[in-house]
Amino acid sequence: MRIGLIGTGRIGTFHAEVLSRHPAVGSLLVTDADPERAAAVATRTGATAVTVDAMFTGGGLPDALVICSATAAHAPLIARAARVGLPAFCEKPIALDLPGTLGALAEVEAAGSVLQLGFMRRFDAGYAAARAAVREGRLGRLHTVRAATSDPAPPPAAYLPLSGGLYRDCLVHDFDILRWVTGREVREVYAAGSDAGPAMFREAGDVDTAAVLLTLDDGTLATATATRCNGAGYDVRMELAGELDQLAVGLDDRTPLTSAEPDGPGAPPKPWPGFLERFAPAYEAELDAFLRVVRGELANPCDGREALHALRIAEACEVSRRERRPVAMAEIPGG
């Protein structure tokens, strides 16, 4: 297969390396707004550096496209791929707002093309095991879910105004995986946020720490918390409690958590430093799934509508934080 990749930043470089060694990929084209960066990645991976326009025109169209560009470019690139019939994989989000998301999805649906979104937690072994346990009834009636995402250090200040905020940029992963693991929809949210940390969050109109109470459509209660300031390390977990048993995702010998009990475990000697290290196998698995989708061997495991659901929950959280009230999902357009 001939695969095109747009965007050679941190995650794009990782994806380029994965694709370059995948047995189904015969050639790889890469491009970036910074041609020198694209050329460096091409040299490292054995790919060919091209222009963005070359991905969509001429006789050298790739068989599929992987979009890892800056977020503002996602929706236009998705639409452009749809118009020429290119199956596309795109890192989340489709767009930072509902109109942009709905517009891109309309282009994909009108063209009848493939769009897979990069919610990598769906391909993590722990989350997959939790989903199976819930679906098979091993936990009994699920009554409580606790999700947490904690980054070890804030991103660069310049990134914050472009990120969409903590709910859309970070917690959106928790919202997606909550739906995927439980098989339920969110009915209502109540969100709060704190900007008491570094001043750059206040200056960007964002928060560095957030907490959300979510009520699912079967009455299950879920909490989701996130912070940009977790000095102990990168910590992503989900705890599921049912009438018969409890299960934790992300609890291992690298979880940056220290027990206060005299005989409890101490700090891990090698905590997870970041998302690429923690989820490397999941990132590889989602790209492998995409290539199988393109070859017609697999149904799309995470189409664009899944991203819309998660974004709508994030939008509800923003309304809730701003207006200091519970927000029903029925209030949010796009459902």
Side-chain angles (χ1 to χ4, degrees), residues 8-199:
T8 53
R10 187 178 180 192
I11 190 62
T13 297
F14 181 90
H15 285 335
E17 291 171 347
V18 171
L19 291 167
S20 70
R21 60 177 181 265
H22 195 287
V25 178
S27 61
L28 178 64
L29 309 176
V30 299
T31 190
D32 192 276
D34 180 348
E36 291 184 3
R37 187 165 68 176
V41 170
T43 299
R44 185 186 316 172
T45 61
T48 301
V50 299
T51 65
V52 172
D53 287 343
M55 296 285 189
F56 301 97
T57 58
L61 278 177
D63 298 304
L65 193 65
V66 174
I67 300 171
C68 313
S69 60
T71 297
H74 287 186
L77 290 172
I78 288 169
R80 196 172 179 185
R83 291 179 200 132
V84 297
L86 272 180
F89 172 96
C90 185
E91 280 298 326
K92 66 84 192 167
I94 293 175
L96 291 179
D97 58 20
L98 287 171
T101 299
L102 291 168
L105 289 177
E107 294 271 9
V108 171
E109 290 166 7
S113 59
V114 170
L115 172 62
Q116 181 180 325
L117 263 291
F119 283 109
M120 77 291 186
R121 295 186 195 182
R122 294 179 177 222
F123 299 87
D124 177 75
Y127 284 109
R131 173 184 163 98
V134 170
R135 302 303 177 87
E136 293 165 12
R138 283 184 266 142
L139 305 183
R141 181 186 68 86
L142 196 64
H143 53 75
T144 308
V145 182
R146 293 176 286 270
T149 295
S150 301
D151 288 335
Y159 173 73
L160 294 179
L162 308 175
S163 71
L166 192 60
Y167 300 102
R168 297 185 189 94
D169 180 54
C170 184
L171 275 166
V172 72
H173 279 290
D174 297 274
F175 302 150
D176 175 72
I177 206 64
L178 175 65
R179 295 180 59 251
W180 189 75
V181 168
T182 65
R184 312 304 310 191
E185 297 296 342
V186 174
R187 188 174 69 211
E188 182 183 86
V189 308
Y190 190 91
S194 170
D195 61 4

